[in-house]
Each structure stands twice: as structure tokens, then as C-alpha cells.
Amino acid sequence: TVILAVDSSRIARDMDLAGVISYQVRKAGVRLEYAKHPASDNPAMDMFRDSIMRGFDTYHSMVRKQKGLAGMKHNVLMGHRAGGRPPLGYKLEYTTTGAIRQGAPVRKSHLVLDPEWATQVKAFLDARLAGRGRTDSARISGLFKKPLTTLISVERNALVYAGMTVWNRHAESGPDRYRPRAEWVIQRGTHEAMITEAEAETLWERATPTTQTRSPSGRFLLSGFLFTPEGKPLFASGDGYYREGKGRRIRAEELECVVRDQMNEEVDSHEFTQRFIAEHGR
């Protein structure tokens, strides 16, 4: 019946999300109570206060995020890593900065070649640059046991294999996977390279093809009306095709044209006219 939190930031630091949670909790017949600002006998003032507190929570969250991102950007510009796992073929090496934080020395990391995988990754990159397919390149280099996603990741990290540290590349939200190139933070010469910058740009372009934006299935003319002979529904794939699950695809324009032609023939038929008149007479 009651959810008790220390303060409103423990529920959510996003004011929109906090409002949604508060609504769902209230709809379920449960109260939200906060130890640092308990409820009073004036529900209207409590609602006003909670709204203000959610705004403060969001503000503090955004400020902390901006400071954290600024620190990560500074690390990259100084030649350090901004976090995350090293790409295949490299490993992390740590050095101390001389500073002490909470009684422990502050350490920064940078990439060094991993003797276990560096040779195979270099061979894979060279094979891809020579025009060989991804599977063939994996077999030649000895990376054939690696998952396909790992091999694609190697190519998408091509700039890292050119000795660069790249930060702020991935988009937080939206239809695009990556931010515009102008927003990336790139620091060259931070670690030993396996390929040249020009070669890295070539691999990057190959690994990130231009994709079409998929449209909502509801925009297709016959969505929800088409079925396979087995009775399974046909869905719009979003790129101009109907398909059943992950099976064979049929171009929407061709299929809809056939259906429209068949409907027109039936509407023009004598049998349809007689049935229509009979139904109307009822």
C-alpha cells in the first residue's frame, strides 16, 4: 500500500519518467512517501512540492552528466581511454597519475597490442582491405570461431585500429546508430596502429552502409488483411515488402496490385451485384 523512498530522486531522476511512475503507482492504489519530505495534510501542496523536487532531481542529474562527459572528453584529449572494454587485438595498460582519490591512486588506461590476438586481427583487417569477404577473411586470419558480431565490431572500430581514440561516436537515442562525424572527439596517435588512417576510413565506410528508414506497418494498404495459405498473417517489413515472420518477402506494390485487380473483377461481376442487392434488401 505504501512505497517509501529516501527522497524523490530514488524513484527517478527524469521528471517525465517520475511523473509516469507516480501516476501508475497512484492508479494501483499505492502511495509514494519520502523520508526527507514526508506528506502533509494538504495533498495539493504535496503535489506542487513533488513537482518542484522532480525538477531539481532532473537538473542535478543533467549537471552531473555534463561534468562526467567533460571529464571523459578531457581524458580522450590527453590520450587516455574514456572507459569501456578494449577492442579485439588490444588490451588495457594502466598508469598512475600521481593523484590520490579516496585513499587510492588515480589510474588512467590506454591501449597496447594484445599478443594473443593482435596478429590475427591484423591479418583479418588486411584481408578485408584486399577485398576478401568477411567469412573468408576470418578463415584466413584464424578468427573463424569468433561470432559475426565481433567481426563486424572490428571493422566498425577501424579508426581505433589506426591508432586513434574515438569518443562520442554512438548516439544516445533516435533512428541513427552514430552521431554526425562533426560531433566525434578523435585523438590521433594514442596507441600503436595496425592500419593506416586511409585504410581505416575505407573499412568504416564498408561496415556502416546507408540504411533505409523503415515505415510503420500501418501505412501499408493491406496490413492486417493478408494471410498465407497456412493462415499465418503477412506483416509489412517496413522497407516495401510484406513477409511472414522472417520468411520470404513479397514486394508490397506487386502484391497489392494483384489484390486490387482481383477485387475490381469481383466488384464488376454479376454475382457480386446480385449478392449486394440481396444484402441491401435485408
Side-chain angles (χ1 to χ4, degrees):
T1 57
V2 178
I3 297 177
L4 178 63
V6 175
D7 55 42
S8 54
S9 67
R10 299 297 89 195
I11 300 299
R13 288 194 173 97
D14 182 293
M15 62 189 307
D16 296 326
L17 177 59
V20 171
I21 294 175
S22 178
Y23 170 77
Q24 295 289 353
V25 168
R26 186 173 65 254
K27 186 177 179 181
V30 181
R31 297 197 329 272
L32 272 174
E33 295 282 356
Y34 306 110
K36 288 189 176 180
H37 40 92
S40 67
D41 57 356
N42 190 333
M45 287 302 300
D46 290 345
M47 179 275 296
F48 183 66
R49 178 205 58 201
D50 291 345
S51 299
I52 293 176
M53 294 306 300
R54 289 172 192 158
F56 276 119
D57 296 335
T58 304
Y59 168 77
H60 287 300
S61 177
M62 294 178 66
V63 169
R64 289 170 183 160
K65 178 182 178 180
Q66 291 171 356
K67 290 182 178 179
L69 292 176
M72 295 170 70
K73 181 178 180 180
H74 177 73
N75 278 337
V76 171
L77 294 177
M78 294 298 292
H80 305 302
R81 292 276 293 176
R85 295 185 300 175
L88 185 66
Y90 289 101
K91 63 180 182 179
L92 294 178
E93 184 174 83
Y94 292 89
T95 56
T96 58
T97 63
I100 302 295
R101 182 180 301 149
Q102 296 181 349
V106 177
R107 301 194 306 167
K108 302 292 184 181
S109 63
H110 64 277
L111 296 177
V112 295
L113 293 177
D114 183 353
E116 182 179 359
W117 294 106
T119 302
Q120 291 95 316
V121 172
K122 178 68 166 64
F124 173 79
L125 294 172
D126 290 341
R128 291 291 285 145
L129 287 167
R132 293 184 176 272
R134 188 173 289 128
T135 302
D136 193 25
S137 299
R139 179 184 57 79
I140 293 173
S141 62
L143 297 180
F144 58 92
K145 292 186 178 180
K146 290 293 183 182
L148 177 62
T149 52
T150 300
L151 301 178
I152 295 175
S153 177
V154 168
E155 296 180 34
R156 288 179 175 172
N157 279 316
L159 297 178
V160 180
Y161 292 104
M164 308 179 191
T165 295
V166 184
W167 179 76
N168 203 44
R169 183 177 59 161
H170 292 275
E172 291 186 22
S173 59
D176 298 323
R177 180 183 179 90
Y178 300 101
R179 301 177 190 272
R181 187 68 174 263
E183 298 180 15
W184 297 6
V185 177
I186 301 176
Q187 188 68 5
R188 293 172 170 80
T190 58
H191 53 273
E192 186 174 346
M194 296 187 188
I195 56 178
T196 66
E197 184 173 345
E199 291 172 333
E201 293 289 356
T202 300
L203 286 174
W204 165 256
E205 291 178 1
R206 292 180 185 174
T208 53
T210 303
T211 56
Q212 295 180 345
T213 301
R214 294 198 169 190
S215 60
S217 59
R219 292 177 58 184
F220 277 34
L221 178 64
L222 301 175
S223 296
F225 295 96
L226 297 178
F227 297 85
T228 67
E230 294 78 19
K232 297 181 179 180
L234 289 176
F235 298 99
S237 65
D239 54 357
Y241 291 83
Y242 287 99
R243 68 180 181 184
E244 180 266 312
K246 294 185 178 180
R248 181 182 176 186
R249 303 190 305 169
I250 305 175
R251 185 174 294 278
E253 293 181 1
E254 297 176 359
L255 182 57
E256 291 171 358
C257 180
V258 172
V259 174
R260 288 197 302 267
D261 289 344
Q262 181 64 30
M263 292 176 63
N264 289 333
E265 288 183 10
E266 293 183 359
V267 170
D268 292 337
S269 67
H270 177 73
E271 180 183 356
F272 176 85
T273 303
Q274 295 299 320
R275 289 175 59 186
F276 179 84
I277 293 174
E279 289 292 334
H280 183 70
R282 293 181 183 180

